[in-house]
Coordinates of all heavy atoms in Angstrom, one line a residue:
T1 N -3.9 -6.2 19.6 CA -3.1 -6.6 18.3 C -2.1 -5.5 18.0 O -2.3 -4.3 18.3 CB -4.1 -6.8 17.2 OG1 -4.8 -5.5 17.1 CG2 -5.1 -7.8 17.4
T2 N -1.0 -5.9 17.5 CA 0.1 -5.1 17.1 C -0.2 -4.5 15.7 O -0.6 -5.3 14.8 CB 1.4 -5.9 17.0 OG1 1.7 -6.5 18.2 CG2 2.6 -4.9 16.8
R3 N 0.0 -3.2 15.5 CA -0.4 -2.5 14.3 C 0.9 -2.6 13.5 O 1.9 -2.3 14.0 CB -0.9 -1.1 14.4 CG -2.3 -1.1 15.0 CD -2.8 0.2 15.0 NE -2.7 0.8 13.7 CZ -3.0 2.2 13.4 NH1 -3.1 3.0 14.5 NH2 -2.9 2.7 12.3
H4 N 0.8 -2.9 12.2 CA 2.0 -2.9 11.3 C 2.4 -1.5 11.0 O 1.5 -0.5 10.8 CB 1.7 -3.7 10.1 CG 1.6 -5.1 10.3 ND1 2.7 -6.0 10.2 CD2 0.6 -5.9 10.6 CE1 2.2 -7.2 10.5 NE2 1.0 -7.3 10.7
R5 N 3.7 -1.2 10.9 CA 4.1 0.0 10.4 C 3.7 0.3 9.1 O 3.5 1.4 8.6 CB 5.7 0.1 10.4 CG 6.4 0.2 11.8 CD 7.9 0.4 11.7 NE 8.2 1.5 10.8 CZ 8.8 1.4 9.7 NH1 9.2 0.3 9.2 NH2 9.1 2.6 9.0
V6 N 3.7 -0.8 8.3 CA 3.4 -0.6 6.8 C 2.1 -1.2 6.5 O 1.8 -2.3 6.9 CB 4.5 -1.5 6.0 CG1 4.2 -1.3 4.5 CG2 5.9 -1.0 6.4
M7 N 1.2 -0.5 6.0 CA -0.2 -0.8 5.7 C -0.6 -0.5 4.2 O -0.3 0.6 3.7 CB -1.1 0.1 6.6 CG -2.5 -0.2 6.5 SD -2.9 -1.8 7.3 CE -4.6 -2.1 6.8
L8 N -1.0 -1.4 3.6 CA -1.4 -1.4 2.1 C -2.9 -1.4 2.0 O -3.5 -2.4 2.4 CB -0.9 -2.5 1.4 CG -1.1 -2.6 -0.1 CD1 -0.6 -1.4 -0.9 CD2 -0.5 -4.0 -0.7
F9 N -3.4 -0.3 1.5 CA -4.8 -0.3 1.1 C -5.1 -0.7 -0.3 O -4.4 0.1 -1.2 CB -5.5 1.1 1.4 CG -5.5 1.3 2.9 CD1 -4.5 1.9 3.5 CD2 -6.6 1.0 3.6 CE1 -4.6 2.2 5.0 CE2 -6.7 1.2 5.0 CZ -5.7 1.8 5.6
M10 N -5.6 -1.9 -0.7 CA -5.5 -2.4 -2.1 C -6.9 -2.9 -2.5 O -7.7 -3.0 -1.7 CB -4.5 -3.4 -2.1 CG -4.9 -4.6 -1.2 SD -3.5 -5.9 -1.3 CE -3.9 -6.6 -2.9
K11 N -6.9 -3.2 -3.7 CA -8.2 -3.9 -4.3 C -7.9 -5.4 -4.2 O -6.9 -5.9 -5.0 CB -8.3 -3.4 -5.7 CG -8.8 -1.9 -5.8 CD -9.0 -1.6 -7.2 CE -9.5 -0.2 -7.2 NZ -9.7 0.4 -8.6
G12 N -8.6 -6.0 -3.3 CA -8.4 -7.4 -3.1 C -7.4 -7.7 -1.9 O -7.4 -6.9 -1.0
L13 N -7.0 -8.9 -2.0 CA -6.0 -9.4 -0.9 C -4.5 -9.7 -1.5 O -4.6 -10.0 -2.7 CB -6.5 -10.6 -0.1 CG -8.0 -10.6 0.4 CD1 -8.5 -11.9 0.8 CD2 -7.9 -9.7 1.6
P14 N -3.6 -9.7 -0.7 CA -2.2 -10.0 -1.2 C -2.3 -11.3 -2.0 O -1.6 -11.5 -3.0 CB -1.4 -10.0 0.0 CG -2.0 -9.1 0.9 CD -3.5 -9.2 0.8
S15 N -3.0 -12.3 -1.5 CA -3.1 -13.7 -2.1 C -4.0 -13.6 -3.3 O -3.9 -14.6 -4.0 CB -3.5 -14.6 -1.0 OG -4.8 -14.2 -0.5
A16 N -4.8 -12.6 -3.4 CA -5.7 -12.6 -4.5 C -6.0 -11.2 -5.0 O -7.1 -10.6 -4.7 CB -7.1 -13.4 -4.2
P17 N -5.0 -10.5 -5.5 CA -5.2 -9.0 -5.9 C -6.5 -9.0 -7.0 O -6.5 -9.9 -7.8 CB -3.9 -8.6 -6.5 CG -2.9 -9.6 -5.9 CD -3.7 -10.9 -5.8
K18 N -7.1 -7.9 -6.9 CA -8.2 -7.6 -7.8 C -7.9 -6.6 -9.0 O -8.7 -6.4 -9.7 CB -9.5 -7.2 -7.1 CG -10.0 -8.2 -6.1 CD -10.6 -9.3 -6.7 CE -11.3 -10.2 -5.7 NZ -11.6 -11.6 -6.1
C19 N -6.6 -6.1 -8.9 CA -6.2 -5.3 -10.1 C -4.7 -5.5 -10.2 O -4.0 -5.8 -9.3 CB -6.6 -3.9 -9.9 SG -5.6 -2.9 -8.8
G20 N -4.2 -5.1 -11.4 CA -2.9 -5.3 -11.8 C -1.9 -4.4 -10.9 O -0.8 -4.8 -10.5
F21 N -2.4 -3.2 -10.6 CA -1.6 -2.2 -9.8 C -1.4 -2.8 -8.4 O -0.3 -2.8 -7.9 CB -2.3 -0.9 -9.8 CG -2.4 -0.2 -11.2 CD1 -3.7 0.0 -11.6 CD2 -1.3 0.1 -11.8 CE1 -3.8 0.6 -12.9 CE2 -1.4 0.7 -13.1 CZ -2.7 0.9 -13.6
S22 N -2.4 -3.3 -7.8 CA -2.4 -4.0 -6.5 C -1.4 -5.2 -6.6 O -0.6 -5.4 -5.6 CB -3.8 -4.3 -6.1 OG -4.5 -3.2 -5.7
R23 N -1.5 -5.9 -7.5 CA -0.7 -7.1 -7.7 C 0.8 -6.7 -7.7 O 1.6 -7.4 -7.1 CB -1.1 -7.9 -9.0 CG -0.2 -9.2 -9.2 CD -0.7 -10.0 -10.4 NE -2.0 -10.4 -10.2 CZ -3.0 -10.0 -11.0 NH1 -2.8 -9.0 -11.9 NH2 -4.3 -10.4 -10.9
Q24 N 1.1 -5.7 -8.6 CA 2.5 -5.2 -8.7 C 2.9 -4.7 -7.4 O 4.2 -4.9 -7.0 CB 2.6 -4.3 -9.8 CG 2.5 -4.8 -11.2 CD 2.5 -3.7 -12.2 OE1 3.6 -3.1 -12.4 NE2 1.5 -3.5 -12.9
T25 N 2.1 -4.1 -6.7 CA 2.5 -3.3 -5.4 C 2.8 -4.5 -4.3 O 3.9 -4.4 -3.6 CB 1.4 -2.5 -4.9 OG1 1.2 -1.4 -5.9 CG2 1.8 -1.9 -3.5
V26 N 2.0 -5.5 -4.3 CA 2.3 -6.7 -3.3 C 3.6 -7.3 -3.8 O 4.4 -7.6 -3.0 CB 1.1 -7.6 -3.5 CG1 1.5 -9.0 -2.8 CG2 -0.2 -7.1 -2.9
Q27 N 3.9 -7.4 -5.0 CA 5.1 -8.1 -5.5 C 6.3 -7.3 -5.0 O 7.4 -7.9 -4.6 CB 5.1 -8.2 -7.1 CG 6.2 -9.0 -7.6 CD 6.2 -10.5 -7.1 OE1 5.2 -11.2 -7.3 NE2 7.3 -11.0 -6.4
I28 N 6.3 -6.0 -5.2 CA 7.4 -5.2 -4.7 C 7.6 -5.3 -3.2 O 8.7 -5.5 -2.7 CB 7.1 -3.7 -5.0 CG1 7.2 -3.4 -6.5 CG2 8.1 -2.7 -4.2 CD1 6.7 -2.1 -7.0
L29 N 6.5 -5.3 -2.4 CA 6.6 -5.5 -0.9 C 7.2 -6.9 -0.6 O 8.0 -7.1 0.2 CB 5.3 -5.3 -0.2 CG 4.7 -3.9 -0.3 CD1 3.3 -3.8 0.2 CD2 5.6 -2.9 0.5
E30 N 6.6 -7.9 -1.3 CA 7.1 -9.2 -1.1 C 8.6 -9.4 -1.5 O 9.3 -10.1 -0.8 CB 6.4 -10.3 -2.0 CG 4.9 -10.3 -1.6 CD 4.6 -10.9 -0.3 OE1 5.4 -11.7 0.2 OE2 3.5 -10.6 0.2
N31 N 9.1 -8.7 -2.6 CA 10.5 -8.8 -2.9 C 11.4 -8.2 -1.8 O 12.6 -8.6 -1.7 CB 10.8 -7.9 -4.2 CG 10.2 -8.6 -5.4 OD1 9.9 -9.8 -5.4 ND2 10.1 -7.8 -6.5
H32 N 10.8 -7.3 -1.0 CA 11.5 -6.7 0.2 C 11.3 -7.5 1.4 O 11.8 -7.0 2.5 CB 11.2 -5.2 0.4 CG 11.7 -4.3 -0.7 ND1 13.0 -3.8 -0.6 CD2 11.2 -3.9 -1.9 CE1 13.3 -3.1 -1.7 NE2 12.2 -3.2 -2.4
N33 N 10.6 -8.6 1.3 CA 10.2 -9.3 2.5 C 9.6 -8.4 3.6 O 9.9 -8.4 4.8 CB 11.4 -10.0 3.1 CG 11.9 -11.1 2.3 OD1 11.1 -11.9 1.8 ND2 13.2 -11.2 2.0
A34 N 8.8 -7.4 3.2 CA 8.3 -6.4 4.0 C 7.2 -7.1 5.0 O 6.5 -8.0 4.6 CB 7.6 -5.3 3.2
N35 N 7.2 -6.7 6.2 CA 6.2 -7.0 7.1 C 5.1 -6.0 7.1 O 5.2 -4.8 7.5 CB 6.8 -7.1 8.6 CG 5.8 -7.6 9.5 OD1 4.8 -8.1 9.2 ND2 6.1 -7.5 10.9
Y36 N 4.0 -6.3 6.5 CA 2.8 -5.4 6.3 C 1.5 -6.0 6.5 O 1.4 -7.2 6.5 CB 2.9 -4.8 4.9 CG 2.7 -5.8 3.7 CD1 1.4 -5.7 3.2 CD2 3.5 -6.6 3.2 CE1 1.0 -6.6 2.2 CE2 3.3 -7.5 2.2 CZ 2.0 -7.5 1.7 OH 1.7 -8.3 0.7
D37 N 0.5 -5.2 6.7 CA -0.8 -5.6 6.7 C -1.6 -5.0 5.5 O -1.1 -3.9 4.9 CB -1.4 -5.1 8.0 CG -2.7 -5.9 8.4 OD1 -3.1 -6.9 7.6 OD2 -3.3 -5.7 9.5
S38 N -2.7 -5.5 5.2 CA -3.4 -5.0 4.1 C -4.9 -4.8 4.4 O -5.4 -5.5 5.3 CB -3.3 -5.9 2.8 OG -3.9 -7.1 3.0
F39 N -5.5 -4.0 3.6 CA -7.1 -3.8 3.8 C -7.5 -3.8 2.4 O -7.3 -3.1 1.5 CB -7.3 -2.5 4.5 CG -8.8 -2.3 4.7 CD1 -9.3 -2.8 6.0 CD2 -9.6 -1.7 3.9 CE1 -10.8 -2.6 6.2 CE2 -11.0 -1.5 4.1 CZ -11.5 -1.9 5.3
N40 N -8.6 -4.7 2.2 CA -9.4 -4.7 0.9 C -10.4 -3.6 0.8 O -11.4 -3.7 1.4 CB -10.0 -6.1 0.8 CG -10.7 -6.2 -0.6 OD1 -10.8 -5.4 -1.4 ND2 -11.3 -7.4 -0.8
I41 N -10.0 -2.6 0.1 CA -11.0 -1.4 0.1 C -12.3 -1.8 -0.8 O -13.2 -1.0 -0.7 CB -10.2 -0.2 -0.7 CG1 -9.6 -0.5 -1.9 CG2 -9.3 0.3 0.4 CD1 -10.3 0.1 -3.1
L42 N -12.3 -2.8 -1.5 CA -13.4 -3.2 -2.2 C -14.6 -3.7 -1.2 O -15.8 -3.8 -1.6 CB -13.2 -4.3 -3.2 CG -12.2 -3.9 -4.4 CD1 -12.0 -5.2 -5.3 CD2 -12.8 -2.7 -5.2
E43 N -14.2 -4.0 -0.1 CA -15.2 -4.5 0.9 C -15.8 -3.5 1.7 O -16.7 -3.6 2.4 CB -14.5 -5.6 1.8 CG -14.1 -6.8 1.2 CD -13.6 -7.9 2.1 OE1 -13.3 -7.5 3.3 OE2 -13.5 -9.0 1.8
D44 N -15.3 -2.2 1.6 CA -15.8 -1.1 2.4 C -15.7 0.2 1.7 O -14.6 0.9 1.7 CB -15.0 -1.0 3.8 CG -15.7 -0.2 4.8 OD1 -16.3 0.8 4.4 OD2 -15.5 -0.5 6.0
D45 N -16.9 0.6 1.1 CA -16.8 1.9 0.3 C -16.6 3.0 1.2 O -16.0 4.0 0.7 CB -18.1 1.9 -0.5 CG -18.0 3.0 -1.6 OD1 -17.2 2.9 -2.4 OD2 -18.8 3.9 -1.7
E46 N -17.1 3.0 2.4 CA -16.8 4.2 3.2 C -15.3 4.4 3.5 O -14.9 5.6 3.5 CB -17.6 3.9 4.5 CG -17.8 5.2 5.4 CD -18.6 5.0 6.7 OE1 -19.7 4.2 6.5 OE2 -18.2 5.3 7.7
V47 N -14.6 3.3 3.8 CA -13.1 3.4 4.0 C -12.5 3.9 2.7 O -11.7 4.8 2.6 CB -12.5 2.1 4.4 CG1 -11.1 2.2 4.4 CG2 -13.1 1.7 5.7
R48 N -13.0 3.4 1.5 CA -12.3 3.7 0.2 C -12.6 5.3 0.0 O -11.5 5.9 -0.4 CB -12.9 2.9 -0.9 CG -12.3 3.3 -2.2 CD -12.7 2.3 -3.3 NE -14.2 2.4 -3.6 CZ -14.9 1.4 -4.2 NH1 -14.4 0.4 -4.6 NH2 -16.2 1.7 -4.4
Q49 N -13.7 5.7 0.1 CA -14.0 7.2 -0.1 C -13.3 8.0 0.8 O -12.8 9.1 0.7 CB -15.5 7.4 -0.2 CG -16.3 6.7 -1.2 CD -15.7 6.9 -2.6 OE1 -15.2 8.0 -3.0 NE2 -15.7 5.9 -3.4
G50 N -13.3 7.6 2.2 CA -12.6 8.3 3.2 C -11.2 8.4 3.0 O -10.6 9.5 3.3
L51 N -10.5 7.3 2.5 CA -9.1 7.4 2.3 C -8.8 8.4 1.1 O -7.7 9.1 1.3 CB -8.6 6.1 1.9 CG -8.0 5.1 3.2 CD1 -7.6 3.8 2.7 CD2 -6.9 5.9 3.9
K52 N -9.6 8.3 0.1 CA -9.4 9.2 -1.0 C -9.3 10.7 -0.6 O -8.5 11.4 -0.9 CB -10.4 9.1 -2.1 CG -10.3 7.8 -2.9 CD -11.3 7.8 -3.9 CE -11.3 6.5 -4.8 NZ -12.4 6.5 -5.8
A53 N -10.3 11.1 0.4 CA -10.4 12.4 0.9 C -9.3 12.7 1.9 O -8.6 13.7 1.8 CB -11.7 12.6 1.6
F54 N -9.0 11.7 2.7 CA -7.9 11.9 3.7 C -6.5 12.1 3.1 O -5.8 13.0 3.4 CB -7.9 10.7 4.6 CG -6.7 10.7 5.5 CD1 -6.7 11.4 6.8 CD2 -5.6 9.8 5.4 CE1 -5.6 11.3 7.6 CE2 -4.6 9.6 6.2 CZ -4.5 10.5 7.4
S55 N -6.2 11.2 2.1 CA -4.9 11.3 1.5 C -4.8 12.3 0.3 O -3.7 12.6 0.0 CB -4.6 9.9 1.0 OG -5.4 9.5 -0.1
D56 N -5.9 12.7 -0.2 CA -6.0 13.5 -1.3 C -5.3 12.8 -2.5 O -4.5 13.3 -3.2 CB -5.3 15.0 -1.2 CG -5.8 15.9 -2.2 OD1 -6.8 15.8 -2.7 OD2 -5.0 16.9 -2.4
W57 N -5.5 11.5 -2.5 CA -4.9 10.6 -3.5 C -6.0 9.8 -4.1 O -6.6 9.0 -3.4 CB -3.8 9.6 -2.8 CG -2.9 9.0 -3.7 CD1 -3.2 7.8 -4.3 CD2 -1.7 9.5 -4.3 NE1 -2.2 7.5 -5.2 CE2 -1.1 8.5 -5.1 CE3 -1.0 10.6 -4.2 CZ2 0.0 8.6 -5.8 CZ3 0.2 10.8 -4.7 CH2 0.7 9.8 -5.6
P58 N -6.3 9.9 -5.4 CA -7.7 9.4 -5.8 C -7.6 7.9 -6.3 O -8.7 7.3 -6.5 CB -7.8 10.3 -7.2 CG -6.4 10.5 -7.7 CD -5.6 10.7 -6.3
T59 N -6.5 7.3 -6.3 CA -6.4 5.9 -6.8 C -5.9 4.9 -5.8 O -5.3 5.4 -4.7 CB -5.4 5.8 -8.0 OG1 -4.1 6.3 -7.7 CG2 -6.0 6.7 -9.2
F60 N -6.0 3.6 -5.9 CA -5.5 2.6 -5.2 C -4.7 1.7 -6.0 O -4.9 1.7 -7.2 CB -6.6 1.8 -4.4 CG -7.4 2.7 -3.4 CD1 -8.4 3.4 -3.8 CD2 -6.9 2.7 -2.2 CE1 -9.1 4.2 -2.8 CE2 -7.5 3.5 -1.2 CZ -8.6 4.2 -1.6
P61 N -3.7 1.1 -5.4 CA -3.3 0.9 -4.1 C -2.8 2.2 -3.4 O -2.2 3.0 -4.2 CB -2.4 -0.2 -4.0 CG -1.7 -0.3 -5.3 CD -2.8 0.2 -6.3
Q62 N -2.8 2.3 -2.1 CA -2.1 3.3 -1.4 C -1.3 2.7 -0.3 O -1.8 1.9 0.5 CB -3.2 4.3 -0.7 CG -4.0 5.0 -1.7 CD -4.9 6.1 -1.0 OE1 -4.8 6.3 0.3 NE2 -5.7 6.6 -1.8
L63 N 0.0 3.0 -0.2 CA 0.8 2.5 0.8 C 1.1 3.5 1.8 O 1.5 4.7 1.6 CB 2.2 2.0 0.3 CG 3.1 1.3 1.2 CD1 2.5 -0.2 1.6 CD2 4.5 1.1 0.7
Y64 N 0.8 3.2 3.2 CA 1.2 4.0 4.3 C 2.3 3.3 5.1 O 2.3 2.3 5.3 CB 0.0 4.2 5.2 CG -1.1 5.0 4.6 CD1 -2.0 4.5 3.6 CD2 -1.2 6.5 5.0 CE1 -2.9 5.3 3.0 CE2 -2.2 7.1 4.4 CZ -3.1 6.7 3.4 OH -4.0 7.4 2.8
V65 N 3.3 4.2 5.6 CA 4.2 3.8 6.5 C 4.1 4.7 7.8 O 4.3 6.0 7.5 CB 5.7 3.7 6.0 CG1 6.7 3.4 7.0 CG2 5.7 2.8 4.8
D66 N 4.1 4.1 8.9 CA 3.9 5.0 10.2 C 2.8 6.0 10.0 O 2.8 7.0 10.5 CB 5.1 5.7 10.5 CG 6.3 4.7 11.0 OD1 5.9 3.6 11.5 OD2 7.4 4.9 10.6
G67 N 1.6 5.7 9.4 CA 0.6 6.4 9.3 C 0.6 7.5 8.2 O -0.4 8.3 8.0
D68 N 1.7 7.7 7.5 CA 1.9 8.6 6.4 C 1.8 8.0 5.1 O 2.4 6.9 4.8 CB 3.2 9.3 6.6 CG 3.4 10.1 7.8 OD1 2.5 10.7 8.3 OD2 4.5 10.1 8.5
L69 N 1.1 8.6 4.2 CA 0.9 8.1 2.8 C 2.3 8.2 2.1 O 2.9 9.2 2.0 CB -0.1 9.0 2.0 CG -0.2 8.6 0.5 CD1 -0.8 7.3 0.4 CD2 -1.1 9.6 -0.1
V70 N 2.7 7.1 1.6 CA 3.9 7.0 0.8 C 3.6 7.3 -0.7 O 4.2 8.0 -1.4 CB 4.7 5.6 0.8 CG1 5.9 5.6 -0.1 CG2 5.1 5.4 2.3
G71 N 2.5 6.6 -1.1 CA 1.9 6.8 -2.5 C 1.5 5.5 -3.1 O 1.2 4.5 -2.4
G72 N 1.3 5.5 -4.4 CA 0.8 4.5 -5.2 C 2.0 3.7 -5.9 O 3.2 3.9 -5.6
L73 N 1.6 2.8 -6.8 CA 2.5 2.0 -7.6 C 3.6 2.8 -8.1 O 4.8 2.4 -8.0 CB 1.8 1.2 -8.5 CG 2.7 0.2 -9.3 CD1 3.4 -0.7 -8.4 CD2 1.8 -0.6 -10.4
D74 N 3.4 4.0 -8.8 CA 4.4 4.6 -9.7 C 5.4 5.1 -8.7 O 6.7 5.0 -9.0 CB 3.8 5.7 -10.4 CG 2.9 5.3 -11.6 OD1 3.1 4.2 -12.0 OD2 2.2 6.1 -12.1
I75 N 5.0 5.7 -7.5 CA 5.9 6.3 -6.6 C 6.7 5.0 -6.0 O 8.0 5.1 -5.8 CB 5.3 7.0 -5.5 CG1 4.8 8.3 -6.1 CG2 6.1 7.3 -4.3 CD1 3.9 9.2 -5.2
L76 N 6.1 4.0 -5.6 CA 6.9 2.8 -5.0 C 7.9 2.3 -6.1 O 9.0 1.9 -5.6 CB 5.8 1.7 -4.8 CG 5.0 1.9 -3.6 CD1 4.1 0.8 -3.2 CD2 5.7 2.3 -2.3
K77 N 7.6 2.2 -7.3 CA 8.5 1.7 -8.3 C 9.7 2.6 -8.4 O 10.9 2.2 -8.4 CB 7.9 1.7 -9.7 CG 7.1 0.5 -10.1 CD 6.5 0.6 -11.4 CE 5.7 -0.6 -11.9 NZ 5.2 -0.5 -13.2
E78 N 9.5 4.0 -8.4 CA 10.6 5.0 -8.4 C 11.5 4.7 -7.1 O 12.7 4.8 -7.2 CB 10.1 6.3 -8.4 CG 9.7 6.8 -9.8 CD 9.0 8.2 -9.8 OE1 9.4 8.9 -8.9 OE2 8.1 8.5 -10.7
M79 N 10.8 4.6 -6.0 CA 11.6 4.5 -4.8 C 12.3 3.2 -4.7 O 13.5 3.1 -4.2 CB 10.6 4.6 -3.6 CG 10.1 6.0 -3.3 SD 9.0 6.0 -1.9 CE 9.9 5.7 -0.6
D80 N 11.7 2.2 -5.3 CA 12.4 0.8 -5.3 C 13.7 0.9 -6.1 O 14.7 0.4 -5.7 CB 11.4 -0.2 -5.9 CG 11.9 -1.6 -5.7 OD1 12.7 -1.9 -4.7 OD2 11.4 -2.5 -6.5
E81 N 13.5 1.5 -7.4 CA 14.6 1.6 -8.2 C 15.8 2.5 -7.6 O 17.0 2.2 -7.9 CB 14.2 2.2 -9.6 CG 13.4 1.2 -10.4 CD 12.5 1.7 -11.5 OE1 12.9 3.0 -11.9 OE2 11.7 1.1 -12.1
G82 N 15.4 3.5 -6.9 CA 16.4 4.4 -6.3 C 17.0 3.8 -4.9 O 17.9 4.5 -4.4
G83 N 16.4 2.8 -4.5 CA 16.9 2.3 -3.1 C 16.2 2.8 -1.9 O 16.5 2.4 -0.8
D84 N 15.4 3.8 -2.1 CA 14.7 4.6 -0.9 C 13.7 3.6 -0.4 O 13.5 3.7 0.9 CB 14.1 5.9 -1.4 CG 15.1 6.8 -1.9 OD1 16.2 6.8 -1.4 OD2 14.7 7.6 -2.8
L85 N 13.1 2.8 -1.1 CA 12.0 1.9 -0.5 C 12.6 1.0 0.5 O 12.0 0.8 1.6 CB 11.3 1.2 -1.7 CG 10.0 0.5 -1.1 CD1 9.0 1.4 -0.5 CD2 9.4 -0.3 -2.3
A86 N 13.7 0.5 0.2 CA 14.4 -0.6 1.1 C 14.7 0.1 2.4 O 14.4 -0.4 3.5 CB 15.6 -1.1 0.6
D87 N 15.1 1.3 2.4 CA 15.5 2.1 3.6 C 14.2 2.4 4.4 O 14.2 2.2 5.5 CB 16.1 3.4 3.2 CG 17.4 3.4 2.7 OD1 18.1 2.2 2.8 OD2 18.0 4.2 2.0
L88 N 13.1 2.7 3.6 CA 11.8 3.1 4.3 C 11.3 1.9 5.0 O 10.8 2.0 6.2 CB 10.9 3.7 3.3 CG 9.5 4.1 3.9 CD1 9.7 5.2 4.9 CD2 8.5 4.4 2.7
L89 N 11.3 0.8 4.3 CA 10.6 -0.4 4.9 C 11.4 -1.0 6.0 O 10.9 -1.6 6.9 CB 10.4 -1.5 3.7 CG 9.4 -1.1 2.6 CD1 9.5 -2.1 1.5 CD2 8.0 -0.9 3.2
N90 N 12.7 -0.9 6.0 CA 13.6 -1.5 7.0 C 13.9 -0.5 8.2 O 14.4 -1.0 9.1 CB 14.9 -1.9 6.4 CG 14.6 -3.1 5.3 OD1 13.8 -4.0 5.7 ND2 15.2 -3.0 4.2
D91 N 13.4 0.7 8.1 CA 13.8 1.5 9.1 C 12.9 1.3 10.4 O 11.6 1.2 10.2 CB 13.5 3.1 8.6 CG 14.0 4.1 9.6 OD1 15.0 3.8 10.3 OD2 13.4 5.2 9.6
P92 N 13.4 1.0 11.6 CA 12.6 0.7 12.6 C 11.7 1.7 13.2 O 12.0 2.9 13.0 CB 13.7 0.3 13.7 CG 15.0 0.9 13.3 CD 14.8 1.1 11.9

């Protein structure tokens, strides 16, 4: 399987987010027609706890591009408004 450059760790699924922050993050990605994959952290507590430790980021959603943590919703909103998110998502 091909791994996506853009990976969203979220509560729920893009089609059925389980929190407002995840829903807004999905909306931002959809607005950019981003090609991304997602993982529902509510289904796997080990992954959820491991990611918190790995990223040193306590909350979800968490967006990764090329294996690097970009951040959560607040950072994505700032990047979106500044135009940096479009560059990041579209960079091959």
